[in-house]
Amino acid sequence: MERRRETRCIHGEAHRFKDGLGAISVPVYQTASFRHTEPGHNGSGFDYTRESNPTRQYLEETIASLEGAAGAVAFSSGMAAVAACFELLRPGDEVICSDDLYGGTVRLLRDVCGKNGVAVTYADTTDLAKLRAAVSGATRAIYVETPGNPMMRITDIRACAALAHEAGALLMVDNTFLSPYWQNPLALGADIVLHSGTKFLAGHNDTIAGFLCAADQPLCDRLRLIAKTVGNTLAPFDAWLVLRGLKTLHVRMERQQENARKIAAWLRAHDAVTEVLYPGLPEHPGYEINRRQSRGAGSMISFRVDTPETARRVLERVRLVIFAESLGGVESLLTYPLTQTHADVPAGIRERLGITDTLLRLSVGLEHADDIIEDLRQALEG
Ligand SMILES: *Cc1c(COP(=O)(O)O)cnc(C)c1O
């Protein structure tokens, strides 16, 4: 019988990691190379750590298991994973992206993919008619984040997969915001799932990592060839840090979501807060679709305050919550998308989406919910 995902967070897919000594924690194979036993044969199946390494391989198998993937490839950062994904495209190909997208991905598409001849079209992927209208004969990929960043908009993954496949394109889903604990896009028809492992997977704001998970083995092999050739694979010690973080993924995700629900409800009732964007609130426009395609709403909340001065005051006055980029860790972090994560998104798109000087994004951590609320209260009212 297949083990439940809580168990697989801790034990991975393999029954035990076989190191010969019975170590419970997977060892860090801090080696660049592996001995060959005779010409053309390496005893262990490992040659050189840029290509493969036992610690990283165990992590990749664990992530693949959690996402229900044929295989996963671990990268030195989320952006390295995103960049490797777009290496599947050729000059003249077009990718259609959600307009509610991580700012670093927008920069990559503009400054790197553009120069390589890959055309990028931004579309409101939450509106299927608009998405369908954007598809052209050159479309080779549809790339979505759901919930989107930072507007928390929900895209219907099943419908996008059908549309992509009809057009002969791949559906790529950045699943960083919900993690495989809450959402498995491959089961909904996606071809590739991306993660910034820096966020919920590692979970402790202490390392940088990224993953690509593929629906089938040939696609996984293509991605692995790119990774080992380009050389942006994850180092063994960082792989070990992610493995250690993963052991508590399920507990963190549940508690962080519980905290987020309380905080979203509190924010909604506050006079200085004019809008709360959290897909766990029934009035959220994507509430029903998110419920159909995931098991939870996660712990990312964006909210709008009454004036830019209030936004500035909150950022300057928070004491427990940290004003910093990133998300998904045990520490609650508050971000100002306008000048931080989304500074590289064109101003016109930012305005159309509502990424303005009154928007704040909160990654709810594992502190006591009441302490986070107290801190936000003193910052908002101080
Ligand atoms: C952080 C993030 C990335 C980039 O990941 P890094 O690990 O910072 O390189 C990509 N997508 C999303 C949604 C992110 O939050």
Side-chain angles (χ1 to χ4, degrees):
M1 197 184 72
E2 193 184 49
R3 294 175 175 194
R4 289 157 186 83
R5 64 189 193 287
E6 289 84 348
T7 308
R8 284 179 281 138
C9 285
I10 298 167
H11 293 284
E13 189 64 23
H15 216 67
R16 290 272 177 268
F17 185 88
K18 294 183 185 64
D19 71 327
L21 296 174
I24 288 170
S25 167
V26 173
V28 182
Y29 281 85
Q30 192 66 46
T31 180
S33 192
F34 297 82
R35 181 171 35 223
H36 281 220
T37 48
E38 56 182 285
H41 283 282
N42 49 11
S44 63
F46 294 96
D47 278 316
Y48 189 59
T49 282
R50 168 157 49 73
E51 300 177 354
S52 62
N53 173 280
T55 312
R56 185 167 69 229
Q57 183 176 308
Y58 189 81
L59 170 63
E60 289 173 339
E61 286 168 3
T62 304
I63 296 288
S65 165
L66 291 172
E67 277 295 9
V73 184
F75 291 85
S76 55
S77 70
M79 285 317 300
V82 178
C85 200
F86 291 131
E87 287 290 342
L88 293 172
L89 304 179
R90 296 165 189 281
D93 288 353
E94 180 203 41
V95 54
I96 300 177
C97 295
S98 307
D99 43 18
D100 193 7
L101 208 61
Y102 177 70
T105 304
V106 174
R107 190 169 62 225
L108 176 85
L109 288 163
R110 185 190 64 205
D111 295 348
V112 179
C113 298
K115 149 181 90 55
N116 293 345
V118 173
V120 182
T121 303
Y122 288 95
D124 177 358
T125 55
T126 68
D127 181 332
L128 288 171
K130 283 192 186 147
L131 179 58
R132 186 180 291 276
V135 173
S136 77
T139 305
R140 292 289 167 271
I142 297 178
Y143 184 98
V144 304
E145 281 179 33
T146 180
N149 185 357
M151 300 308 289
M152 309 301 295
R153 287 144 55 108
I154 303 297
T155 292
D156 185 332
I157 299 173
R158 276 190 197 90
C160 277
L163 228 160
H165 297 158
E166 211 176 283
L170 295 172
L171 177 64
M172 305 163 171
V173 180
D174 184 333
N175 201 27
T176 299
F177 266 34
L178 286 184
S179 92
Y181 184 72
W182 293 127
Q183 180 167 273
N184 296 123
L186 297 176
L188 303 166
D191 301 286
I192 298 178
V193 166
L194 302 92
H195 281 285
S196 168
T198 312
K199 315 294 168 55
F200 290 102
L201 297 175
H204 293 73
N205 288 320
D206 57 6
T207 186
I208 302 280
F211 297 93
L212 292 180
C213 308
D216 61 54
Q217 198 57 50
L219 193 51
C220 186
D221 293 343
R222 285 170 71 194
L223 295 169
R224 194 173 296 286
L225 178 73
I226 293 167
K228 77 176 191 185
T229 307
V230 174
N232 49 7
T233 46
L234 188 62
F237 181 66
D238 297 272
W240 184 85
L241 279 173
V242 180
L243 275 170
R244 183 156 85 154
L246 274 180
K247 291 186 189 193
T248 55
L249 178 72
H250 50 308
V251 186
R252 290 185 281 111
M253 295 305 286
E254 290 283 355
R255 177 61 73 86
Q256 283 173 253
Q257 176 174 269
E258 193 183 315
N259 280 355
R261 286 190 190 284
K262 288 182 189 160
I263 292 162
W266 180 83
L267 283 169
R268 193 167 53 156
H270 198 284
D271 283 346
V273 176
T274 56
E275 193 180 10
V276 179
L277 305 168
Y278 179 60
L281 292 173
E283 71 261 27
H284 187 284
Y287 177 81
E288 269 309 320
I289 293 173
N290 191 61
R291 238 170 52 115
R292 279 208 302 275
Q293 67 187 12
S294 72
R295 293 176 287 269
S299 47
M300 295 300 299
I301 303 172
S302 289
F303 61 102
R304 203 179 292 289
V305 291
D306 50 4
T307 66
E309 291 70 40
T310 305
R312 185 167 289 274
R313 193 173 65 230
V314 172
L315 291 165
E316 285 169 2
R317 281 175 166 265
V318 281
R319 292 197 286 256
L320 172 66
V321 173
I322 303 165
F323 173 24
E325 261 176 68
S326 201
L327 61 105
V330 294
E331 294 91 358
S332 293
L333 301 185
L334 187 65
T335 305
Y336 199 37
L338 181 70
T339 62
Q340 290 182 308
T341 50
H342 290 69
D344 279 304
V345 175
I349 294 185
R350 270 199 320 245
E351 266 154 46
R352 183 160 52 76
L353 290 173
I355 305 172
T356 67
D357 53 7
T358 55
L359 185 77
L360 297 167
R361 192 191 78 186
L362 178 65
S363 170
V364 178
L366 268 186
E367 302 92 346
H368 196 291
D370 293 345
D371 287 335
I372 302 171
I373 289 172
E374 268 318 304
D375 192 39
L376 292 172
R377 186 201 308 280
Q378 65 80 25
L380 274 164
E381 297 172 8

